[in-house]
Amino acid sequence: MNGRRVQIAVVGSSQGEGASLRLAEEVGRELAAAGAVLVCGGLGGIMEAAARGAGEAGGLVVGITPGYVRREANPWIEVAIPSGLGHARNVLVVAAGQAVIALPGGFGTLSEIYLALKLGRPVVLLTRWAEVDGVRYAESAVSAVREAMDAAKGTG
């Protein structure tokens, strides 16, 4: 590596509920503990929970938002990048990660998974909420972060 911190993208529902939000927050904490930069879409739900976990643990959180204004980012985003691209920003989120951790979501999350795979980014699905060829599966935040960090070592 070149001395830069590993960047891991975290994707999931912009709504999220109970257990998924708790998992996302734990993923954020684990990424911060591992010294990784958390990259996400910067809005609510899973993105905000992961950002909160990382932020509270002292980690760096980058949010690539769909609009043109920084203030649309959730309060845990330290570096807000307004893209003005709407859903097309999904490709920027996964391209910024050396690996992707995907929590439960809908069509937007599935698009991020497939874009990541198309770009050659390793993807770890946290819990089996979808069946996707070419991804790794993890059942805990700790194992998801471990898988993503190991997978990121082989990417740029």
Side-chain angles (χ1 to χ4, degrees):
M1 281 289 204
N2 56 10
R4 292 184 184 152
R5 291 168 60 179
V6 171
Q7 295 178 190
I8 304 293
V10 176
V11 300
S13 173
S14 61
Q15 307 302 311
E17 52 188 54
S20 293
L21 294 177
R22 286 189 296 277
L23 271 175
E25 196 167 331
E26 188 177 350
V27 165
R29 282 193 303 273
E30 292 293 327
L31 285 171
V37 175
L38 188 155
V39 180
C40 68
L43 300 180
I46 296 291
M47 296 172 278
E48 184 169 0
R52 180 175 47 253
E56 287 178 346
L60 176 59
V61 183
V62 176
I64 303 173
T65 61
Y68 287 105
V69 292
R70 293 179 67 225
R71 71 179 169 272
E72 76 181 323
N74 74 62
W76 297 99
I77 300 299
E78 187 171 348
V79 179
I81 302 172
S83 73
L85 295 173
H87 293 294
R89 70 118 165 35
N90 291 355
V91 72
L92 298 177
V93 172
V94 298
Q98 293 165 260
V100 176
I101 297 175
L103 286 100
F107 292 127
T109 305
L110 288 171
S111 76
E112 288 168 312
I113 291 167
Y114 286 108
L115 285 166
L117 293 171
K118 184 73 173 169
L119 295 175
R121 301 304 194 266
V123 177
V124 180
L125 260 66
L126 182 48
T127 71
R128 282 193 180 263
W129 59 272
E131 293 295 324
V132 180
D133 289 338
V135 303
R136 304 162 191 227
Y137 293 95
E139 294 301 324
S140 72
V142 171
S143 62
V145 169
R146 187 177 308 121
E147 283 279 340
M149 293 295 288
D150 287 346
K153 290 178 185 171
T155 65

